[in-house]
Every structure is written in structure tokens, then in C-alpha cells.
Amino acid sequence: MEDTSFAIHPGNKKQIEGSPFHDIGNIISFSSTEKGFSVECEQAAVEIVFYSDEIVRIIMNPFEKPSFKTSFGVIAEPDEVKVSSEEHDGAIVLSTSKLVIKIMREPFRLHVFDEEGNEIVRETNKGMGFNEKKEVICYKDMEIDDHFYGFGEKTSFLDKRGEKMTMWNSDVYAPHNPEIDALYESIPYFMALRNGRAYGIFFDNTFKSVFDMKSHTDTYSFWAEGGQLDYYILAGPTPGEVISQYTSLTGRMKLPPKWALGYHQSRYSYESEQEVRELARNFIDKGIPIDAIYLDIHYMDGYRVFTFDKDRFPAPEKLIADLKEAGIHVVPIVDPGVKEDPEYKIYQEGITNDLFCKYMEGNLFFGEVWPGNSAFPDFTNTKVRNWWGKKHKFYTDMGIEGIWNDMNEPAVFNETKTMDVKVMHGNDGDPKTHREMHNLYGLLMGESTYNGMKELLNGNRPFLLTRAGYSGVQRYAAVWTGDNRSFWEHLAMALPMVMNLGVSGVPFTGPDVGGFAHDTTGELLIRWTQFGTFTPYFRNHSALDTVRQEPWAFGEEVEAITKKYIQQRYVWMPYLYTLFNEASKTGSPVLRPLVMEYPNDEHTFNLSDQFLVGENVLVAPILSPSTFHRVVYLPEGNWINYWTEEKIAGGKHVLVEASLDTLPIFIKEGSIIPNGTVKQSTAVTEEKLTLHVYPANEKTECMLYEDDGKTFDYENGKYTETKISCYLEGESLTINMENSNEGFEPAWKEIEFQVHQAEEDLEIILNGNQIGNTHFHPEERKITFTTNKS
Ligand code: GLC
């Protein structure tokens, strides 16, 4: 009945729930403590702790003494910070070199300013409080021109002003539409933009929480169903700095193995060894690059994790070894549900050693998932994480180096879609209900899997893909955006989703290319693969009973175009890998919204259908059928069409042609882009580096980062970083290459330079030497020359 108009029957009108808000009231006492500052208010206690000059943590607890313990999302400890404390006009003022916190006394209200005196947080009418349901809540003033980004994995457009979003990890098979306010990931954090300056708020509360940037025109709020109001204010002032500050708290991605950045092929399911071998052969015979093939749930014996079905996959080791020989990694799915089966070793171990989730009364929680009735490891206990991690020896012994974690919200086939919130997690002796720990389940499964795999791989980097997570998920896993559909709307929606995940500190993300559920079409597959070329995570995946969507499934034309863009992925690999390195160092996203680089340009504030890869590569995919042109917004500066070499002045919208085989790409003048070559997989040695130089009349530079792409040796200096700069002065172009670290010897032997937008008589000086042997291409206005590695 809920699916018909009966849902809006007048008799169904819901009472507006209302539980009166209690303000924390006036300040009774204020004192400085070892950790920071304590404020006693009429209705609550507040603690203020500075983590750095730019980051302050506020903890408000109306029910008990505030706890300084953080969630599993946070890995940082507070730094020693010099804070001055003064009293001005009846207000307490706490200042660092980057932040000023002004606290009004009657009632307690917070006003926060950045280093230049711009107000970033203000509480006027309402501030922090709670209600009878023990929900904690706070309100902040919202300016007419405030914009909001981040919030992890959410549907709808880029700017989340006007949205109300819930943080509760949810398995949503259908539909992913603007009404769905909770998906698989919960990242209770946002970056706000006010007058071109950015700040951030991270609400580290793992209960179900809500961010409401919708209900009031001049106020936003966030609240949680339980726990304390525990949040961090991040000073910015640039978007990049906010992300860096947020990831200084929650951690950054470790470099994934390079093969994880290649093209991946999946399907629910490739059901037998024969099917997998045929699939691999097809890719190789057709010369379509591929780095990984996924095994979905059919590889298992009755969906029991850590098993193979002997009939479908009689010799998995051999299959995995043969594929690896061909440059293809096999990535099996591992779900948390362990089949209730007294004759199954994993279940036996879990029961015998007390490793599964239980109620306080001692009885196990069982839920229905793919294997039927199942028990769930209690990942909040270190003992369980270690056990589960070690179990992956089953896979690593077979040569597997990548794992796909799914259903880890955890998803359960019941009314609530998840575990009973009354289940009591052990949490290493500090028991907590599932209501509090739910949003952490995927993160902790990820921690267990990643660390277990790392331990087992003898120095090789593991790859982990996850569906669910909480703040900090980037430390362990790439995130794909779950069960989307083969709808054009879902292709379009994936852009802001991936951009906002990037702003949320998760750089390694992407949707199922082609769409998971529903039937894709050749045209949709082409356009989606074009977008996939630049999504940090690039996997084609589709569901049971949908039409096949391998690159060749729709005939020759579709195959040729999808192949071209999968090849482009490999051409762009040196650039992408350098961006991955940057993300692992600073948290900055590989794929990012334009607003990150142009925060003063209002055209970028809600620009949801185009993005930047790094700082200077602008990509504008086609997102609707039978469409061969589109409007692209080019911000200030000059931009060069990657395909046609046309130079266009930015600061305006332009109409761009995009035939079926064209993904519009624009490079900003003043960029240097390192490219590689087309190859079957990342396992093939890179013979040649190509440097595309787009000169400008000012000095510009780029970095190239290289290492072995496999091990953690880069952590011990075994990498090479090259700074490449160029400067155009009159008819002379100076290019310099300088290694800032030379711990790794790249395989390529020669560099091809392609100088774009060049005149025939352009003089080129490379590292102080004039280059004589250049070749001018008049039609493309391009000069090329090749040098050997010096
Ligand atoms: C879930 C996953 C999907 C997978 C399927 C079967 O729906 O999101 O990717 O193919 O389960 O394992």
C-alpha cells in the first residue's frame, strides 16, 4: 500500500514530532585545564581542546562528564598549542595564530573567527543543547551565501545547501534518488564556503546523526540520537587546507598498488573458472587493457566466506597464477556474514572463540544474508579484527592481493535492513550498543582486512574495496558508490557524489561503470566509460539478470570507443599516480570540484556536471543520450582543448562539440602533464614518458612521482620525485627538470616532449641546453622532440 497514493491518504498525516530543545544555558564557571579549557554551564559541561593552531575540538555533554575519547575515526592526538585566553566585554576569547574563539557567557554562545577576523561560526538565537530523547544538537547561523560540501556519499547535487542528510550506513538497493538521505557511508563532516573562504566541521558522533541545511533559511544544525556533542572546527581558509586539516584528524590513504588504478572488470557474477578465463582471453585478444577481474558471491561454496566452490572453480590457485602472469589480479568478494553451519570452520572458530556479535544477555545475533542465517564478527574487538585479518591467508596463499568488502553496513535481509540496534558490541571491554557502533562496522571490517592483508603480503601493498565506512575509511579502502542503476540520471549523479567524497577525505572512489542494476545501453556504456577514465576507481560492474556490459557487448563501434577510453586511462596513469601520491600526503582529492580551486567564482559553487582532475585538467562528460554537444564552464585563464588544440579564454561558458567518441577535456595554460603509453595492464613496463607542456608567460611547474607501484619501499625513500618547470619568454621556452628525490629508478628510457600552442621558431632550452632536433607540426601548432633519460 505504501507504494500507491494511499501513502498520502489524509488519514495518514503524521503528527509533527517535537521534543523541546534545552539550551545549555549560562556559564557558571570557566577554567583552563591540562587538556584545554573547561566550561561549566547551567545544563551541561563543555570542554575545549585545541588540536593545532587551526583545529579546535568542542565537546558538550549534558548528561555526564564529557569524555575525551574519540571514535575509531580519529587517529590524531592534540598537539601542544599556544593559546591565549582573555576576557573582553564579558566574553572569553581564546586565540591561536589561526583561530579566535569568542565565548559569550549569558547564555553560552560560540563565535569563531579565522586569522583575518572573518567570522566562520556564529551562534545567535540558538546554540548547543539537547532534548528529552537525549539527542544532542547544535545550531549555527547560516549566511545567505554559505555553501556546503562533503558529507561523504550523498545523492543530489554538489552544493548541499538546502539538503537534510542522515548518517546511518544503509544498504539501499533501490532507489538512489534525491530523496535517499542515507547511503552506505557515513562521514559526518562538511566543508563550508563563505565569501570565498572555507572552513570545516567534523561531528565525531557515531550514532545516527542528521545535518540539516534545509529547514531554516538562516540557521543550520546537526544532531545525533545519542552520545555527546563532539565536534571539530577546522579553520581553512582554503578548501585544500580544510581537507588537509580534516585528514590530519582522520588519516590519509596509503598508496594503493598501481594495478588498483587500472581498469577493472566485474559482474555479479562470473560464475566459473571457464567463464573467468574466457573473459580474460577476450580482453587480451581484443587488446583492451585490464588489471583486475572480480569474483562475486558465486565463487564461494554456498556463500561461505573463505571458501571456493570446487565445482565452479576446481583449481583457483592455477587460475589466479595464470591471470597474474597475464597482468590481471583476481579480487574476490568477502562479506561479513558467516553462515551458521556447525561443520564450517570459520563458524566453528567464531563460536568457540567468542568472536561474533551478541546481545548483552549472551545470545548471538543471527541475520539472514546471502548464505542464509548468519553470524557477524564483532569487529569492535581487537581480537576479532586480528582473527579475521589472519584468515585472509586463505586468499593470499592463492596469490590474491585485493579484497572486496561488501554488505558491511552491515546489511541484513530484515525490516530494519541491519543488525538489531540492541546488540552489544564488546569494544575491547567498553561495551556499546549497535545503535552507537553501527556506523563503524564497515570501517572496522576494513581495518581488520587491510591490516591482515598487509601483514600477509610480505611488503606488497594490498588493495581493498569497501561499500560501507565512516570517517577515516580512506586509511584502508577505496569506496565504490554501491548499487546504482544503468540510468543516465545515475551517471550524472555519480559526478557530485565522487566530488563530495573527495572533499570528505576519501580520494579513491568511483561508481559502477555502466550502472549495476537495470540494463545498460551501448551509448550509456560509452559515456560512462569516458567518465570512468578519470574516476579514481574505475570498475565496470553489473548485476545478475541484466544485459552483459563488457566493452564488447554492444558491437564494434561501442567496443572501439570504450577501448579507446580504457586505453586513455593508461595514458594518463603517470599523472593520476602522481595525484594519488599527493592525496596520500595531503588528503587532497584526485578528482575534485571546480569550487576547490576557484572558491571565489560563483559559477563553480554548484557546478555538478564537470570536474577537475588535479588542479589543471578539466573534464566535462556527456550525461544524457543523443547528445553531441554541451555547455562547459571554463574558469578564469586560458584553456586548451585536449583533442583539438583550440585555445579558449576562460571566465565564461562555452558550447563544446562531443561526438560519441569524444570526452571533452581541457588543459589550463601553464600546465605540464606527464603521460604514459597504451598498454595491456600496469604490469607492462613503461618504455616512454611523454610530457605535454602547455606554456604560459609565467613560471609554472608540476611534479611527477614514481615508485615501484607495488611495495611499501616508498616509505623508506625509494621513490623519485621530479619537479618540471617551464617559462615562456618572448620566443624562448625554458624547461627545467629537477629531481628532489632519486630513490627509485623508473623503467622508461626516453622522454617525448610535446610543446603545445607553439610557433615554428620557438627556441627551446631544456636544463640549460638549447634543443636542436625538434619537429614542428603546423596543423596542431605543436613542437615535439625526444630526449633520453639523463
Ligand atoms: C551487493 C553489492 C553488489 C554485489 C551484490 C552481490 O548488492 O552492492 O555490488 O554484486 O551485492 O554480491
Side-chain angles (χ1 to χ4, degrees):
M1 293 288 260
E2 280 297 306
D3 290 342
T4 68
S5 304
F6 179 79
I8 46 169
H9 189 289
N12 289 346
K13 192 166 174 235
K14 282 197 197 113
Q15 290 297 315
I16 306 277
E17 277 182 60
S19 189
F21 170 80
H22 296 281
D23 197 288
I24 60 172
N26 297 341
I27 293 182
I28 299 167
S29 72
F30 170 83
S31 57
S32 90
T33 64
E34 211 179 288
K35 288 199 153 68
F37 301 90
S38 290
V39 193
E40 197 58 45
C41 297
E42 287 170 319
Q43 304 277 350
V46 179
E47 297 288 344
I48 300 170
V49 185
F50 286 85
Y51 270 59
S52 68
D53 283 331
E54 298 90 1
I55 304 176
V56 62
R57 177 180 179 193
I58 315 280
I59 316 167
M60 183 280 283
N61 198 325
F63 315 112
E64 54 194 61
K65 214 165 160 286
S67 162
F68 291 97
K69 202 169 167 187
T70 66
S71 79
F72 283 95
V74 177
I75 54 167
E77 293 287 336
D79 281 348
E80 287 268 322
V81 186
K82 217 170 135 251
V83 186
S84 76
S85 158
E86 294 164 31
E87 189 87 36
H88 277 307
D89 311 324
I92 302 155
V93 182
L94 307 175
S95 328
T96 71
S97 62
K98 302 280 181 192
L99 271 174
V100 177
I101 319 281
K102 196 167 168 190
I103 304 164
M104 309 300 167
R105 282 182 176 273
E106 294 187 354
F108 181 109
R109 290 286 180 268
L110 208 61
H111 294 207
V112 182
F113 303 81
D114 70 11
E115 58 183 323
E116 285 183 8
N118 300 296
E119 196 163 27
I120 54 181
V121 168
R122 183 177 62 236
E123 297 171 350
T124 310
N125 295 329
K126 279 183 177 173
M128 297 192 275
F130 59 98
N131 64 22
E132 249 106 81
K133 289 198 279 180
K134 288 202 145 188
E135 292 169 339
V136 287
I137 182 161
C138 80
Y139 296 87
K140 313 268 178 238
D141 294 1
M142 184 161 74
E143 300 276 327
I144 199 96
D145 214 16
D146 283 352
H147 303 275
F148 301 98
Y149 309 94
F151 305 99
E153 183 186 54
K154 297 290 171 212
T155 55
S156 210
F157 294 98
L158 182 69
D159 181 359
K160 299 301 184 201
R161 188 183 175 118
E163 303 281 343
K164 188 167 163 186
M165 292 152 290
T166 304
M167 301 297 166
W168 183 251
N169 290 0
S170 305
D171 170 20
V172 182
Y173 176 63
H176 292 193
N177 67 21
E179 231 178 17
I180 296 297
D181 64 355
L183 280 171
Y184 316 90
E185 296 272 327
S186 289
I187 304 188
Y189 146 87
F190 65 84
M191 175 184 94
L193 190 71
R194 178 177 285 180
N195 299 324
R197 297 171 75 87
Y199 70 90
I201 287 193
F202 168 38
F203 181 26
D204 187 25
N205 181 312
T206 63
F207 284 86
K208 183 186 279 180
S209 63
V210 176
F211 287 81
D212 185 357
M213 329 320 259
K214 174 185 192 168
S215 302
H216 305 280
T217 50
D218 56 357
T219 315
Y220 68 83
S221 61
F222 49 92
W223 72 88
E225 263 191 17
Q228 51 185 16
L229 194 77
D230 183 355
Y231 66 101
Y232 300 76
I233 300 172
L234 317 169
T238 64
E241 282 164 301
V242 173
I243 300 169
S244 163
Q245 287 149 10
Y246 170 71
T247 53
S248 75
L249 292 174
T250 59
R252 297 179 180 131
M253 165 186 75
K254 287 215 182 281
L255 267 177
K258 203 178 248 181
W259 65 263
L261 274 64
Y263 174 76
H264 295 189
Q265 184 65 46
S266 184
R267 169 117 179 138
Y268 170 31
S269 298
Y270 295 121
E271 291 192 18
S272 66
E273 171 170 339
Q274 193 198 344
E275 204 182 350
V276 172
R277 282 186 185 276
E278 239 163 64
L279 180 80
R281 200 169 313 122
N282 261 321
F283 272 96
I284 291 163
D285 290 351
K286 291 169 179 296
I288 303 174
I290 181 164
D291 263 275
I293 292 177
Y294 286 61
L295 299 182
D296 207 323
I297 53 175
H298 286 89
Y299 81 85
M300 292 177 271
D301 171 16
Y303 311 119
R304 289 169 185 82
V305 285
F306 306 102
T307 68
F308 264 91
D309 180 303
K310 296 266 162 23
D311 294 331
R312 294 166 189 264
F313 290 88
E317 280 101 337
K318 177 92 173 70
L319 172 70
I320 291 155
D322 289 350
L323 259 55
K324 205 181 262 184
E325 186 66 32
I328 303 171
H329 282 79
V330 169
V331 180
I333 196 167
V334 179
D335 293 349
V338 174
K339 186 175 177 65
E340 182 215 350
D341 170 1
E343 291 171 359
Y344 165 38
K345 193 152 174 290
I346 304 291
Y347 183 72
Q348 289 169 351
E349 283 183 25
I351 295 293
T352 316
N353 301 316
D354 189 19
L355 304 170
F356 292 131
C357 295
K358 302 184 292 198
Y359 289 95
M360 201 162 79
E361 294 77 9
N363 46 330
L364 287 189
F365 170 79
F366 286 105
E368 181 85 9
V369 266
W370 307 122
N373 205 33
S374 301
F376 294 81
D378 187 355
F379 291 113
T380 66
N381 290 323
T382 308
K383 172 172 117 175
V384 177
R385 292 199 296 280
N386 289 341
W387 166 69
W388 186 262
K390 287 199 173 82
K391 284 287 125 196
H392 287 76
K393 188 162 186 307
F394 173 77
Y395 296 111
T396 54
D397 278 354
M398 289 184 187
I400 286 170
E401 296 174 62
I403 297 288
W404 169 19
N405 280 172
D406 186 27
M407 305 289 276
N408 51 350
E409 293 71 30
V412 181
F413 303 146
N414 63 19
E415 274 286 290
T416 68
K417 297 194 169 104
T418 193
M419 189 175 283
D420 188 339
V421 292
K422 287 192 293 200
V423 163
M424 190 62 93
H425 292 283
N427 196 31
D428 284 339
D430 180 17
K432 303 274 185 202
T433 59
H434 189 67
R435 202 163 76 90
E436 181 166 356
M437 301 309 262
H438 172 81
N439 283 339
L440 291 171
Y441 197 83
L443 173 79
L444 294 174
M445 183 182 186
E447 179 183 326
S448 154
T449 306
Y450 183 87
N451 289 343
M453 289 293 286
K454 187 174 176 202
E455 189 81 37
L456 289 160
L457 285 177
N458 298 322
N460 274 356
R461 302 174 206 169
F463 165 64
L464 176 63
L465 177 69
T466 185
R467 193 168 74 173
Y470 180 76
S471 288
V473 63
Q474 66 271 11
R475 304 198 294 263
Y476 313 114
V479 170
W480 100 101
T481 57
D483 295 344
N484 62 5
R485 312 205 137 212
S486 300
F487 297 161
W488 287 92
E489 292 82 352
H490 279 195
L491 165 59
M493 187 178 70
L495 273 72
M497 221 184 231
V498 171
M499 288 191 263
N500 274 321
L501 274 161
V503 172
S504 308
V506 193
F508 198 6
T509 63
D512 283 341
V513 167
F516 175 67
H518 199 65
D519 296 324
T520 200
T521 63
E523 190 186 1
L524 181 55
L525 183 64
I526 287 175
R527 294 307 194 185
W528 214 318
T529 307
Q530 289 173 344
F531 169 46
T533 304
F534 287 106
T535 52
Y537 177 63
F538 186 15
R539 179 183 72 156
N540 174 319
H541 181 49
S542 55
L544 211 62
D545 288 337
T546 60
V547 298
R548 305 296 299 208
Q549 66 182 41
E550 291 80 14
W552 51 85
F554 296 94
E556 279 174 24
E557 192 193 9
V558 178
E559 179 181 327
I561 301 175
T562 49
K563 176 176 170 180
K564 169 177 163 183
Y565 282 91
I566 295 171
Q567 288 176 333
Q568 277 293 310
R569 173 71 168 200
Y570 291 78
V571 169
W572 283 85
M573 192 59 78
Y575 181 69
L576 291 170
Y577 195 61
T578 299
L579 289 172
F580 266 74
N581 174 58
E582 189 189 326
S584 78
K585 300 265 157 39
T586 67
S588 83
V590 173
L591 188 158
R592 53 186 83 155
L594 273 78
V595 70
M596 241 194 96
E597 304 297 336
Y598 302 93
N600 287 301
D601 181 344
E602 63 178 352
H603 295 296
T604 68
F605 293 169
N606 200 11
L607 194 52
S608 305
D609 63 355
Q610 55 182 79
F611 55 86
L612 292 170
V613 182
E615 256 177 68
N616 290 334
V617 176
L618 189 154
V619 180
I622 297 297
L623 306 170
S624 51
S626 313
T627 304
F628 307 104
H629 62 269
R630 61 160 286 174
V631 170
V632 177
Y633 179 65
L634 298 174
E636 59 173 25
N638 289 320
W639 297 84
I640 292 105
N641 184 317
Y642 180 71
W643 303 109
T644 66
E645 302 283 338
E646 185 194 359
K647 177 163 150 179
I648 311 170
K652 62 172 187 265
H653 294 86
V654 294
L655 189 63
V656 174
E657 296 289 331
S659 58
L660 195 55
D661 76 341
T662 306
L663 166 70
I665 305 171
F666 297 87
I667 317 287
K668 193 162 187 185
E669 188 177 80
S671 312
I672 304 163
I673 309 287
N675 273 178
T677 47
V678 169
K679 51 177 76 64
Q680 188 58 43
S681 78
T682 56
V684 179
T685 310
E686 190 72 86
E687 298 291 343
K688 189 174 94 179
L689 181 74
T690 300
L691 288 176
H692 290 277
V693 181
Y694 295 86
N697 286 322
E698 59 194 59
K699 188 170 174 193
T700 45
E701 56 186 46
C702 86
M703 284 306 236
L704 170 66
Y705 173 85
E706 294 160 293
D707 62 19
D708 66 14
K710 274 194 192 117
T711 70
F712 287 96
D713 287 354
Y714 71 93
E715 290 182 338
N716 301 317
K718 295 212 166 132
Y719 64 89
T720 288
E721 220 161 17
T722 312
K723 187 161 85 185
I724 309 155
S725 61
C726 76
Y727 180 47
L728 181 67
E729 199 177 14
E731 274 149 29
S732 173
L733 175 70
T734 307
I735 306 173
N736 284 315
M737 294 182 71
E738 197 187 313
N739 285 341
S740 54
N741 192 61
E742 291 180 290
F744 171 74
E745 175 78 32
W748 49 268
K749 301 278 179 297
E750 55 175 30
I751 314 179
E752 180 185 316
F753 284 85
Q754 297 201 10
V755 180
H756 298 258
Q757 304 289 304
E759 302 300 335
E760 189 168 8
D761 50 6
L762 183 71
E763 175 192 53
I764 298 176
I765 297 159
L766 175 66
N767 292 335
N769 302 316
Q770 184 166 351
I771 302 290
N773 222 351
T774 61
H775 183 60
F776 181 63
H777 308 252
E779 263 159 40
E780 295 159 279
R781 290 188 50 231
K782 192 160 85 176
I783 292 177
T784 57
F785 61 95
T786 303
T787 66
N788 287 331
K789 181 158 49 175
S790 55

